[in-house]
C-alpha cells in the first residue's frame, strides 16, 4: 500500500467535512437512509484510519420487545464502513460501486444506552479501494465494527463489501 493512500487530500477532506457536519449528515440520511436519519445517529469521527458513529438510545431504535432494533444497528454499521470506503474512494480519486453483500451481528452484552460504533483498519479500506481500482476486477472484503455502551462491548458486526 502506498503511504499517500493514507494522507488526506482535497477529495477526502471535502467528503469528510460534509459528513462530519451533523445537519448535513442528518439531512442526507433522511433522504437516502431514512431509518438511520430518524435515529439521530451521527458520525463523531472519520479520517483515513478509523471512524466512529454514535447511535443514540431512544424510542426510535427500540424494537417490539424494548431492546435494540437490529436494523438500526446494522444501518449504523453499514453507514460507518461505507463512509470509510467512500472517503478512501474520494481520497484516491477512484470511482467504484460499493455494496454490502453479507452481514452478521454477534450480541455480547446488552444495556439500552447510547452506542458507540467503531471501525478501525483504515489501511485495509485504502488498500481494498486501491486494489480494485487498479485491477478493475470485482472483489469482496469483510470489515468489522465493534459497538460499545460506555466501557461495555455490546456487539461485533461484520459486513462484507463488494467493490467493482
Amino acid at each position: 500500500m502506498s503511504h499517500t493512500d493514507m494522507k488526506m487530500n482535497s477529495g477526502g477532506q471535502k467528503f469528510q467535512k460534509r459528513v462530519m457536519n451533523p445537519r448535513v449528515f442528518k439531512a442526507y440520511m433522511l433522504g437516502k437512509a431514512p431509518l438511520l436519519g430518524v435515529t439521530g445517529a451521527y458520525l463523531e469521527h472519520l479520517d483515513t484510519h478509523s471512524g466512529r458513529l454514535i447511535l443514540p438510545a431512544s424510542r426510535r431504535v427500540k424494537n417490539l420487545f424494548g431492546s435494540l432494533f437490529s436494523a438500526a444497528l446494522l444501518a449504523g454499521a453499514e453507514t460507518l464502513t461505507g463512509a470509510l470506503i467512500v472517503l478512501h474512494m474520494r481520497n484516491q480519486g477512484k470511482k467504484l460501486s460499493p455494496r454490502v453483500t453479507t452481514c452478521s451481528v454477534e450480541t455480547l452484552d446488552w444495556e439500552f444506552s447510547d452506542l458507540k460504533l467503531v471501525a478501525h483498519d483504515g489501511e485495509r479500506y485504502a488498500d481494498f479501494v486501491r486494489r480494485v481500482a487498479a485491477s478493475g476486477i470485482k472483489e469482496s472484503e469483510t470489515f468489522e465494527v465493534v459497538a460499545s455502551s460506555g466501557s461495555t462491548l455490546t456487539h461485533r458486526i461484520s459486513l462484507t463489501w463488494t467493490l467493482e
Side-chain angles (χ1 to χ4, degrees):
M1 173 184 37
S2 166
H3 183 63
T4 59
D5 289 347
M6 298 306 290
K7 184 179 180 207
M8 188 83 78
N9 67 28
S10 63
Q13 289 170 351
K14 184 177 177 183
F15 177 75
Q16 179 191 45
K17 183 178 179 182
R18 188 172 41 230
V19 297
M20 291 295 298
N21 179 317
R23 288 190 307 253
V24 172
F25 182 77
K26 183 177 181 175
Y28 183 78
M29 288 296 112
L30 284 170
K32 297 289 185 179
L35 171 65
L36 196 59
V38 299
T39 66
Y42 61 94
L43 281 169
E44 183 180 61
H45 168 79
L46 182 69
D47 66 19
T48 58
H49 299 280
S50 63
R52 188 171 48 253
L53 182 135
I54 304 300
L55 183 62
S58 72
R59 64 178 179 78
R60 296 177 188 149
V61 297
K62 281 187 178 181
N63 64 19
L64 297 172
F65 311 106
S67 62
L68 179 68
F69 191 45
S70 298
L73 180 66
L74 285 169
E78 181 176 350
T79 298
L80 177 57
T81 54
L84 277 163
I85 288 172
V86 172
L87 175 71
H88 282 288
M89 287 170 39
R90 301 277 172 87
N91 204 45
Q92 295 177 33
K94 308 299 183 194
K95 293 190 181 210
L96 301 167
S97 297
R99 70 178 186 281
V100 172
T101 53
T102 62
C103 58
S104 66
V105 176
E106 177 185 7
T107 301
L108 306 167
D109 200 348
W110 178 244
E111 103 184 35
F112 194 74
S113 62
D114 292 357
L115 290 179
K116 175 173 59 174
L117 284 71
V118 177
H120 293 288
D121 297 331
E123 294 85 3
R124 282 187 54 229
Y125 287 86
D127 187 53
F128 182 43
V129 168
R130 184 195 49 72
R131 277 192 333 266
V132 173
S135 72
I137 298 170
K138 179 169 68 171
E139 196 174 319
S140 297
E141 189 151 346
T142 301
F143 297 97
E144 183 178 82
V145 172
V146 293
S148 60
S149 176
S151 62
T152 304
L153 186 62
T154 60
H155 301 86
R156 288 187 197 281
I157 305 113
S158 295
L159 297 109
T160 301
W161 283 89
T162 298
L163 281 179
E164 56 183 321

mmCIF file of all heavy atoms in Angstrom, residues 52-101:
data_model
loop_
_atom_site.group_PDB
_atom_site.id
_atom_site.type_symbol
_atom_site.label_atom_id
_atom_site.label_comp_id
_atom_site.label_asym_id
_atom_site.label_seq_id
_atom_site.Cartn_x
_atom_site.Cartn_y
_atom_site.Cartn_z
ATOM 1 N N ARG A 52 -16.005 6.640 13.782
ATOM 2 C CA ARG A 52 -16.830 6.377 14.962
ATOM 3 C C ARG A 52 -18.195 7.015 14.739
ATOM 4 O O ARG A 52 -18.296 8.191 14.398
ATOM 5 C CB ARG A 52 -16.152 6.968 16.196
ATOM 6 C CG ARG A 52 -16.764 6.644 17.493
ATOM 7 C CD ARG A 52 -15.902 7.078 18.680
ATOM 8 N NE ARG A 52 -15.390 8.441 18.599
ATOM 9 C CZ ARG A 52 -14.117 8.789 18.336
ATOM 10 N NH1 ARG A 52 -13.201 7.860 18.119
ATOM 11 N NH2 ARG A 52 -13.749 10.050 18.283
ATOM 12 N N LEU A 53 -19.249 6.225 14.935
ATOM 13 C CA LEU A 53 -20.624 6.679 14.773
ATOM 14 C C LEU A 53 -21.343 6.493 16.103
ATOM 15 O O LEU A 53 -21.170 5.459 16.754
ATOM 16 C CB LEU A 53 -21.319 5.876 13.674
ATOM 17 C CG LEU A 53 -22.761 6.269 13.358
ATOM 18 C CD1 LEU A 53 -22.967 6.331 11.846
ATOM 19 C CD2 LEU A 53 -23.745 5.278 13.961
ATOM 20 N N ILE A 54 -22.134 7.475 16.498
ATOM 21 C CA ILE A 54 -22.917 7.396 17.724
ATOM 22 C C ILE A 54 -24.363 7.109 17.342
ATOM 23 O O ILE A 54 -24.947 7.794 16.498
ATOM 24 C CB ILE A 54 -22.839 8.711 18.540
ATOM 25 C CG1 ILE A 54 -21.382 9.074 18.847
ATOM 26 C CG2 ILE A 54 -23.680 8.610 19.812
ATOM 27 C CD1 ILE A 54 -20.610 8.062 19.652
ATOM 28 N N LEU A 55 -24.926 6.075 17.961
ATOM 29 C CA LEU A 55 -26.325 5.696 17.769
ATOM 30 C C LEU A 55 -27.036 5.942 19.103
ATOM 31 O O LEU A 55 -26.901 5.144 20.032
ATOM 32 C CB LEU A 55 -26.433 4.231 17.350
ATOM 33 C CG LEU A 55 -27.827 3.693 17.051
ATOM 34 C CD1 LEU A 55 -28.460 4.422 15.870
ATOM 35 C CD2 LEU A 55 -27.753 2.198 16.763
ATOM 36 N N PRO A 56 -27.757 7.079 19.211
ATOM 37 C CA PRO A 56 -28.398 7.407 20.483
ATOM 38 C C PRO A 56 -29.511 6.424 20.852
ATOM 39 O O PRO A 56 -30.265 5.978 19.990
ATOM 40 C CB PRO A 56 -28.996 8.800 20.251
ATOM 41 C CG PRO A 56 -28.310 9.335 19.043
ATOM 42 C CD PRO A 56 -27.941 8.128 18.215
ATOM 43 N N ALA A 57 -29.583 6.101 22.136
ATOM 44 C CA ALA A 57 -30.662 5.246 22.640
ATOM 45 C C ALA A 57 -31.916 6.112 22.745
ATOM 46 O O ALA A 57 -31.906 7.163 23.368
ATOM 47 C CB ALA A 57 -30.300 4.683 23.998
ATOM 48 N N SER A 58 -32.962 5.692 22.079
ATOM 49 C CA SER A 58 -34.235 6.403 22.143
ATOM 50 C C SER A 58 -35.324 5.434 21.698
ATOM 51 O O SER A 58 -35.040 4.335 21.236
ATOM 52 C CB SER A 58 -34.228 7.635 21.234
ATOM 53 O OG SER A 58 -34.273 7.245 19.870
ATOM 54 N N ARG A 59 -36.542 5.871 21.803
ATOM 55 C CA ARG A 59 -37.651 5.018 21.366
ATOM 56 C C ARG A 59 -37.567 4.722 19.875
ATOM 57 O O ARG A 59 -38.111 3.745 19.397
ATOM 58 C CB ARG A 59 -38.997 5.648 21.728
ATOM 59 C CG ARG A 59 -39.258 6.953 21.033
ATOM 60 C CD ARG A 59 -40.632 7.509 21.393
ATOM 61 N NE ARG A 59 -40.856 8.775 20.740
ATOM 62 C CZ ARG A 59 -41.185 8.916 19.459
ATOM 63 N NH1 ARG A 59 -41.331 7.858 18.696
ATOM 64 N NH2 ARG A 59 -41.370 10.108 18.937
ATOM 65 N N ARG A 60 -36.841 5.547 19.139
ATOM 66 C CA ARG A 60 -36.708 5.362 17.686
ATOM 67 C C ARG A 60 -35.884 4.137 17.309
ATOM 68 O O ARG A 60 -35.938 3.690 16.170
ATOM 69 C CB ARG A 60 -36.085 6.593 17.063
ATOM 70 C CG ARG A 60 -36.937 7.816 17.198
ATOM 71 C CD ARG A 60 -36.217 9.002 16.620
ATOM 72 N NE ARG A 60 -36.949 10.209 16.907
ATOM 73 C CZ ARG A 60 -36.399 11.376 17.081
ATOM 74 N NH1 ARG A 60 -35.096 11.505 16.984
ATOM 75 N NH2 ARG A 60 -37.125 12.436 17.342
ATOM 76 N N VAL A 61 -35.096 3.612 18.240
ATOM 77 C CA VAL A 61 -34.265 2.444 17.926
ATOM 78 C C VAL A 61 -34.699 1.210 18.707
ATOM 79 O O VAL A 61 -34.028 0.181 18.654
ATOM 80 C CB VAL A 61 -32.752 2.717 18.156
ATOM 81 C CG1 VAL A 61 -32.257 3.811 17.238
ATOM 82 C CG2 VAL A 61 -32.456 3.023 19.600
ATOM 83 N N LYS A 62 -35.827 1.290 19.403
ATOM 84 C CA LYS A 62 -36.331 0.140 20.158
ATOM 85 C C LYS A 62 -37.200 -0.741 19.276
ATOM 86 O O LYS A 62 -37.991 -0.250 18.482
ATOM 87 C CB LYS A 62 -37.179 0.599 21.350
ATOM 88 C CG LYS A 62 -36.390 1.049 22.532
ATOM 89 C CD LYS A 62 -37.328 1.312 23.693
ATOM 90 C CE LYS A 62 -36.585 1.717 24.932
ATOM 91 N NZ LYS A 62 -37.503 1.941 26.050
ATOM 92 N N ASN A 63 -37.067 -2.057 19.473
ATOM 93 C CA ASN A 63 -37.946 -2.979 18.767
ATOM 94 C C ASN A 63 -39.182 -3.262 19.630
ATOM 95 O O ASN A 63 -39.366 -2.647 20.689
ATOM 96 C CB ASN A 63 -37.196 -4.271 18.394
ATOM 97 C CG ASN A 63 -36.736 -5.072 19.590
ATOM 98 O OD1 ASN A 63 -37.230 -4.919 20.709
ATOM 99 N ND2 ASN A 63 -35.780 -5.952 19.352
ATOM 100 N N LEU A 64 -40.007 -4.194 19.214
ATOM 101 C CA LEU A 64 -41.249 -4.502 19.937
ATOM 102 C C LEU A 64 -41.014 -5.010 21.354
ATOM 103 O O LEU A 64 -41.903 -4.961 22.192
ATOM 104 C CB LEU A 64 -42.050 -5.558 19.172
ATOM 105 C CG LEU A 64 -42.542 -5.146 17.793
ATOM 106 C CD1 LEU A 64 -43.134 -6.346 17.072
ATOM 107 C CD2 LEU A 64 -43.550 -4.033 17.913
ATOM 108 N N PHE A 65 -39.803 -5.503 21.628
ATOM 109 C CA PHE A 65 -39.502 -6.098 22.920
ATOM 110 C C PHE A 65 -38.733 -5.160 23.837
ATOM 111 O O PHE A 65 -38.284 -5.550 24.905
ATOM 112 C CB PHE A 65 -38.723 -7.403 22.712
ATOM 113 C CG PHE A 65 -39.382 -8.284 21.693
ATOM 114 C CD1 PHE A 65 -38.842 -8.414 20.424
ATOM 115 C CD2 PHE A 65 -40.565 -8.943 21.989
ATOM 116 C CE1 PHE A 65 -39.457 -9.209 19.472
ATOM 117 C CE2 PHE A 65 -41.189 -9.737 21.033
ATOM 118 C CZ PHE A 65 -40.633 -9.869 19.773
ATOM 119 N N GLY A 66 -38.544 -3.913 23.391
ATOM 120 C CA GLY A 66 -37.864 -2.920 24.205
ATOM 121 C C GLY A 66 -36.355 -2.943 24.123
ATOM 122 O O GLY A 66 -35.677 -2.214 24.832
ATOM 123 N N SER A 67 -35.815 -3.782 23.249
ATOM 124 C CA SER A 67 -34.368 -3.796 23.074
ATOM 125 C C SER A 67 -34.023 -3.141 21.729
ATOM 126 O O SER A 67 -34.884 -2.634 21.033
ATOM 127 C CB SER A 67 -33.819 -5.225 23.164
ATOM 128 O OG SER A 67 -34.344 -6.032 22.144
ATOM 129 N N LEU A 68 -32.771 -3.174 21.394
ATOM 130 C CA LEU A 68 -32.284 -2.503 20.192
ATOM 131 C C LEU A 68 -32.854 -3.128 18.920
ATOM 132 O O LEU A 68 -32.821 -4.344 18.748
ATOM 133 C CB LEU A 68 -30.758 -2.571 20.153
ATOM 134 C CG LEU A 68 -30.090 -1.927 18.951
ATOM 135 C CD1 LEU A 68 -30.274 -0.416 18.989
ATOM 136 C CD2 LEU A 68 -28.612 -2.269 18.946
ATOM 137 N N PHE A 69 -33.350 -2.297 18.042
ATOM 138 C CA PHE A 69 -33.822 -2.706 16.724
ATOM 139 C C PHE A 69 -32.591 -3.044 15.888
ATOM 140 O O PHE A 69 -31.759 -2.189 15.628
ATOM 141 C CB PHE A 69 -34.633 -1.559 16.122
ATOM 142 C CG PHE A 69 -35.411 -1.883 14.898
ATOM 143 C CD1 PHE A 69 -36.164 -3.047 14.795
ATOM 144 C CD2 PHE A 69 -35.439 -0.992 13.834
ATOM 145 C CE1 PHE A 69 -36.911 -3.323 13.662
ATOM 146 C CE2 PHE A 69 -36.180 -1.254 12.695
ATOM 147 C CZ PHE A 69 -36.918 -2.427 12.610
ATOM 148 N N SER A 70 -32.448 -4.301 15.514
ATOM 149 C CA SER A 70 -31.255 -4.746 14.783
ATOM 150 C C SER A 70 -31.025 -3.949 13.506
ATOM 151 O O SER A 70 -29.875 -3.705 13.129
ATOM 152 C CB SER A 70 -31.359 -6.231 14.436
ATOM 153 O OG SER A 70 -31.424 -7.000 15.602
ATOM 154 N N ALA A 71 -32.089 -3.542 12.856
ATOM 155 C CA ALA A 71 -31.941 -2.773 11.622
ATOM 156 C C ALA A 71 -31.224 -1.447 11.881
ATOM 157 O O ALA A 71 -30.429 -0.996 11.050
ATOM 158 C CB ALA A 71 -33.310 -2.515 10.993
ATOM 159 N N ALA A 72 -31.466 -0.815 13.027
ATOM 160 C CA ALA A 72 -30.783 0.437 13.355
ATOM 161 C C ALA A 72 -29.292 0.195 13.572
ATOM 162 O O ALA A 72 -28.448 0.967 13.113
ATOM 163 C CB ALA A 72 -31.415 1.078 14.594
ATOM 164 N N LEU A 73 -28.967 -0.895 14.264
ATOM 165 C CA LEU A 73 -27.567 -1.241 14.498
ATOM 166 C C LEU A 73 -26.855 -1.523 13.172
ATOM 167 O O LEU A 73 -25.761 -1.017 12.917
ATOM 168 C CB LEU A 73 -27.474 -2.456 15.418
ATOM 169 C CG LEU A 73 -26.073 -2.935 15.754
ATOM 170 C CD1 LEU A 73 -25.320 -1.902 16.571
ATOM 171 C CD2 LEU A 73 -26.153 -4.261 16.500
ATOM 172 N N LEU A 74 -27.488 -2.319 12.316
ATOM 173 C CA LEU A 74 -26.889 -2.642 11.017
ATOM 174 C C LEU A 74 -26.778 -1.405 10.127
ATOM 175 O O LEU A 74 -25.787 -1.243 9.412
ATOM 176 C CB LEU A 74 -27.680 -3.741 10.314
ATOM 177 C CG LEU A 74 -27.460 -5.134 10.887
ATOM 178 C CD1 LEU A 74 -28.477 -6.114 10.323
ATOM 179 C CD2 LEU A 74 -26.044 -5.609 10.608
ATOM 180 N N ALA A 75 -27.791 -0.539 10.162
ATOM 181 C CA ALA A 75 -27.733 0.692 9.365
ATOM 182 C C ALA A 75 -26.566 1.563 9.822
ATOM 183 O O ALA A 75 -25.851 2.144 8.997
ATOM 184 C CB ALA A 75 -29.046 1.456 9.469
ATOM 185 N N GLY A 76 -26.350 1.619 11.135
ATOM 186 C CA GLY A 76 -25.214 2.390 11.648
ATOM 187 C C GLY A 76 -23.890 1.800 11.211
ATOM 188 O O GLY A 76 -22.980 2.517 10.774
ATOM 189 N N ALA A 77 -23.744 0.483 11.309
ATOM 190 C CA ALA A 77 -22.503 -0.181 10.916
ATOM 191 C C ALA A 77 -22.260 -0.054 9.412
ATOM 192 O O ALA A 77 -21.128 0.182 8.975
ATOM 193 C CB ALA A 77 -22.544 -1.653 11.329
ATOM 194 N N GLU A 78 -23.314 -0.204 8.617
ATOM 195 C CA GLU A 78 -23.166 -0.062 7.169
ATOM 196 C C GLU A 78 -22.779 1.363 6.797
ATOM 197 O O GLU A 78 -21.919 1.585 5.941
ATOM 198 C CB GLU A 78 -24.463 -0.457 6.456
ATOM 199 C CG GLU A 78 -24.363 -0.360 4.952
ATOM 200 C CD GLU A 78 -25.613 -0.833 4.225
ATOM 201 O OE1 GLU A 78 -26.511 -1.426 4.861
ATOM 202 O OE2 GLU A 78 -25.688 -0.598 3.011
ATOM 203 N N THR A 79 -23.385 2.336 7.450
ATOM 204 C CA THR A 79 -23.069 3.733 7.167
ATOM 205 C C THR A 79 -21.631 4.056 7.551
ATOM 206 O O THR A 79 -20.917 4.733 6.805
ATOM 207 C CB THR A 79 -24.050 4.657 7.909
ATOM 208 O OG1 THR A 79 -25.365 4.390 7.411
ATOM 209 C CG2 THR A 79 -23.714 6.124 7.694
ATOM 210 N N LEU A 80 -21.189 3.557 8.691
ATOM 211 C CA LEU A 80 -19.829 3.816 9.146
ATOM 212 C C LEU A 80 -18.797 3.203 8.203
ATOM 213 O O LEU A 80 -17.876 3.881 7.755
ATOM 214 C CB LEU A 80 -19.649 3.277 10.566
ATOM 215 C CG LEU A 80 -18.255 3.391 11.182
ATOM 216 C CD1 LEU A 80 -17.775 4.836 11.202
ATOM 217 C CD2 LEU A 80 -18.272 2.798 12.580
ATOM 218 N N THR A 81 -18.950 1.936 7.881
ATOM 219 C CA THR A 81 -17.978 1.286 6.992
ATOM 220 C C THR A 81 -18.082 1.847 5.574
ATOM 221 O O THR A 81 -17.073 2.017 4.894
ATOM 222 C CB THR A 81 -18.145 -0.244 6.987
ATOM 223 O OG1 THR A 81 -19.496 -0.579 6.661
ATOM 224 C CG2 THR A 81 -17.777 -0.846 8.339
ATOM 225 N N GLY A 82 -19.307 2.149 5.152
ATOM 226 C CA GLY A 82 -19.494 2.762 3.834
ATOM 227 C C GLY A 82 -18.830 4.126 3.751
ATOM 228 O O GLY A 82 -18.234 4.485 2.728
ATOM 229 N N ALA A 83 -18.915 4.892 4.825
ATOM 230 C CA ALA A 83 -18.268 6.210 4.851
ATOM 231 C C ALA A 83 -16.753 6.065 4.727
ATOM 232 O O ALA A 83 -16.102 6.860 4.025
ATOM 233 C CB ALA A 83 -18.635 6.956 6.131
ATOM 234 N N LEU A 84 -16.181 5.053 5.373
ATOM 235 C CA LEU A 84 -14.736 4.831 5.243
ATOM 236 C C LEU A 84 -14.358 4.435 3.819
ATOM 237 O O LEU A 84 -13.343 4.896 3.288
ATOM 238 C CB LEU A 84 -14.270 3.766 6.240
ATOM 239 C CG LEU A 84 -13.993 4.299 7.644
ATOM 240 C CD1 LEU A 84 -13.957 3.157 8.657
ATOM 241 C CD2 LEU A 84 -12.692 5.077 7.677
ATOM 242 N N ILE A 85 -15.169 3.601 3.190
ATOM 243 C CA ILE A 85 -14.890 3.213 1.804
ATOM 244 C C ILE A 85 -14.990 4.422 0.881
ATOM 245 O O ILE A 85 -14.101 4.674 0.061
ATOM 246 C CB ILE A 85 -15.832 2.081 1.345
ATOM 247 C CG1 ILE A 85 -15.439 0.771 2.032
ATOM 248 C CG2 ILE A 85 -15.805 1.916 -0.180
ATOM 249 C CD1 ILE A 85 -16.408 -0.372 1.819
ATOM 250 N N VAL A 86 -16.058 5.188 1.016
ATOM 251 C CA VAL A 86 -16.234 6.363 0.151
ATOM 252 C C VAL A 86 -15.142 7.394 0.413
ATOM 253 O O VAL A 86 -14.617 8.012 -0.527
ATOM 254 C CB VAL A 86 -17.643 6.969 0.316
ATOM 255 C CG1 VAL A 86 -17.758 8.287 -0.436
ATOM 256 C CG2 VAL A 86 -18.701 5.985 -0.176
ATOM 257 N N LEU A 87 -14.761 7.582 1.673
ATOM 258 C CA LEU A 87 -13.669 8.514 1.983
ATOM 259 C C LEU A 87 -12.409 8.111 1.222
ATOM 260 O O LEU A 87 -11.752 8.947 0.600
ATOM 261 C CB LEU A 87 -13.394 8.531 3.491
ATOM 262 C CG LEU A 87 -12.192 9.382 3.921
ATOM 263 C CD1 LEU A 87 -12.506 10.857 3.770
ATOM 264 C CD2 LEU A 87 -11.798 9.059 5.338
ATOM 265 N N HIS A 88 -12.082 6.813 1.221
ATOM 266 C CA HIS A 88 -10.886 6.360 0.511
ATOM 267 C C HIS A 88 -11.063 6.435 -1.005
ATOM 268 O O HIS A 88 -10.106 6.738 -1.718
ATOM 269 C CB HIS A 88 -10.482 4.952 0.971
ATOM 270 C CG HIS A 88 -9.787 4.984 2.288
ATOM 271 N ND1 HIS A 88 -8.517 5.462 2.456
ATOM 272 C CD2 HIS A 88 -10.214 4.644 3.533
ATOM 273 C CE1 HIS A 88 -8.166 5.399 3.715
ATOM 274 N NE2 HIS A 88 -9.190 4.907 4.400
ATOM 275 N N MET A 89 -12.263 6.203 -1.495
ATOM 276 C CA MET A 89 -12.503 6.362 -2.934
ATOM 277 C C MET A 89 -12.274 7.823 -3.341
ATOM 278 O O MET A 89 -11.587 8.100 -4.331
ATOM 279 C CB MET A 89 -13.927 5.922 -3.295
ATOM 280 C CG MET A 89 -14.123 4.421 -3.264
ATOM 281 S SD MET A 89 -15.850 3.849 -3.396
ATOM 282 C CE MET A 89 -16.581 4.937 -4.567
ATOM 283 N N ARG A 90 -12.852 8.749 -2.581
ATOM 284 C CA ARG A 90 -12.688 10.180 -2.885
ATOM 285 C C ARG A 90 -11.239 10.612 -2.686
ATOM 286 O O ARG A 90 -10.713 11.409 -3.454
ATOM 287 C CB ARG A 90 -13.598 11.022 -1.999
ATOM 288 C CG ARG A 90 -15.069 10.708 -2.127
ATOM 289 C CD ARG A 90 -15.708 11.415 -3.324
ATOM 290 N NE ARG A 90 -17.066 10.978 -3.558
ATOM 291 C CZ ARG A 90 -18.141 11.495 -2.980
ATOM 292 N NH1 ARG A 90 -18.029 12.471 -2.115
ATOM 293 N NH2 ARG A 90 -19.337 11.026 -3.280
ATOM 294 N N ASN A 91 -10.613 10.101 -1.642
ATOM 295 C CA ASN A 91 -9.233 10.464 -1.341
ATOM 296 C C ASN A 91 -8.285 10.000 -2.438
ATOM 297 O O ASN A 91 -7.306 10.673 -2.734
ATOM 298 C CB ASN A 91 -8.829 9.866 0.014
ATOM 299 C CG ASN A 91 -7.712 10.623 0.668
ATOM 300 O OD1 ASN A 91 -7.730 11.849 0.702
ATOM 301 N ND2 ASN A 91 -6.742 9.918 1.198
ATOM 302 N N GLN A 92 -8.594 8.848 -3.055
ATOM 303 C CA GLN A 92 -7.748 8.313 -4.122
ATOM 304 C C GLN A 92 -8.249 8.713 -5.510
ATOM 305 O O GLN A 92 -7.636 8.341 -6.518
ATOM 306 C CB GLN A 92 -7.681 6.786 -4.012
ATOM 307 C CG GLN A 92 -7.003 6.299 -2.748
ATOM 308 C CD GLN A 92 -7.017 4.783 -2.631
ATOM 309 O OE1 GLN A 92 -6.951 4.066 -3.628
ATOM 310 N NE2 GLN A 92 -7.109 4.282 -1.410
ATOM 311 N N GLY A 93 -9.376 9.416 -5.579
ATOM 312 C CA GLY A 93 -9.919 9.827 -6.872
ATOM 313 C C GLY A 93 -10.423 8.665 -7.705
ATOM 314 O O GLY A 93 -10.348 8.689 -8.932
ATOM 315 N N LYS A 94 -10.966 7.641 -7.049
ATOM 316 C CA LYS A 94 -11.449 6.437 -7.742
ATOM 317 C C LYS A 94 -12.965 6.404 -7.750
ATOM 318 O O LYS A 94 -13.614 6.758 -6.774
ATOM 319 C CB LYS A 94 -10.934 5.161 -7.056
ATOM 320 C CG LYS A 94 -9.443 5.125 -6.829
ATOM 321 C CD LYS A 94 -8.655 5.202 -8.110
ATOM 322 C CE LYS A 94 -7.163 5.083 -7.828
ATOM 323 N NZ LYS A 94 -6.335 5.452 -8.943
ATOM 324 N N LYS A 95 -13.540 5.962 -8.861
ATOM 325 C CA LYS A 95 -14.989 5.804 -8.976
ATOM 326 C C LYS A 95 -15.297 4.319 -9.039
ATOM 327 O O LYS A 95 -15.006 3.663 -10.033
ATOM 328 C CB LYS A 95 -15.516 6.526 -10.208
ATOM 329 C CG LYS A 95 -15.385 8.018 -10.093
ATOM 330 C CD LYS A 95 -16.119 8.729 -11.191
ATOM 331 C CE LYS A 95 -15.899 10.214 -11.005
ATOM 332 N NZ LYS A 95 -16.969 11.001 -11.473
ATOM 333 N N LEU A 96 -15.860 3.817 -7.943
ATOM 334 C CA LEU A 96 -16.223 2.407 -7.849
ATOM 335 C C LEU A 96 -17.636 2.315 -7.312
ATOM 336 O O LEU A 96 -18.174 3.283 -6.790
ATOM 337 C CB LEU A 96 -15.254 1.676 -6.899
ATOM 338 C CG LEU A 96 -13.777 1.713 -7.290
ATOM 339 C CD1 LEU A 96 -12.905 1.248 -6.130
ATOM 340 C CD2 LEU A 96 -13.534 0.848 -8.514
ATOM 341 N N SER A 97 -18.229 1.128 -7.436
ATOM 342 C CA SER A 97 -19.582 0.891 -6.920
ATOM 343 C C SER A 97 -19.503 -0.051 -5.725
ATOM 344 O O SER A 97 -19.263 -1.244 -5.888
ATOM 345 C CB SER A 97 -20.471 0.269 -7.997
ATOM 346 O OG SER A 97 -20.616 1.153 -9.072
ATOM 347 N N PRO A 98 -19.707 0.482 -4.511
ATOM 348 C CA PRO A 98 -19.689 -0.384 -3.325
ATOM 349 C C PRO A 98 -21.082 -0.887 -2.966
ATOM 350 O O PRO A 98 -22.080 -0.197 -3.190
ATOM 351 C CB PRO A 98 -19.158 0.540 -2.232
ATOM 352 C CG PRO A 98 -19.550 1.911 -2.660
ATOM 353 C CD PRO A 98 -19.673 1.888 -4.162
ATOM 354 N N ARG A 99 -21.136 -2.100 -2.422
ATOM 355 C CA ARG A 99 -22.404 -2.618 -1.884
ATOM 356 C C ARG A 99 -22.106 -3.699 -0.853
ATOM 357 O O ARG A 99 -21.119 -4.419 -0.959
ATOM 358 C CB ARG A 99 -23.328 -3.120 -2.971
ATOM 359 C CG ARG A 99 -22.910 -4.374 -3.651
ATOM 360 C CD ARG A 99 -23.956 -4.803 -4.691
ATOM 361 N NE ARG A 99 -23.632 -6.074 -5.255
ATOM 362 C CZ ARG A 99 -22.731 -6.284 -6.204
ATOM 363 N NH1 ARG A 99 -22.073 -5.280 -6.708
ATOM 364 N NH2 ARG A 99 -22.510 -7.497 -6.653
ATOM 365 N N VAL A 100 -22.981 -3.784 0.131
ATOM 366 C CA VAL A 100 -22.849 -4.821 1.157
ATOM 367 C C VAL A 100 -23.450 -6.101 0.603
ATOM 368 O O VAL A 100 -24.555 -6.097 0.058
ATOM 369 C CB VAL A 100 -23.578 -4.411 2.458
ATOM 370 C CG1 VAL A 100 -23.605 -5.565 3.452
ATOM 371 C CG2 VAL A 100 -22.913 -3.200 3.083
ATOM 372 N N THR A 101 -22.719 -7.212 0.747
ATOM 373 C CA THR A 101 -23.224 -8.489 0.241
ATOM 374 C C THR A 101 -23.593 -9.456 1.358
ATOM 375 O O THR A 101 -24.450 -10.307 1.164
ATOM 376 C CB THR A 101 -22.209 -9.140 -0.718
ATOM 377 O OG1 THR A 101 -20.944 -9.213 -0.077
ATOM 378 C CG2 THR A 101 -22.084 -8.329 -2.000
#
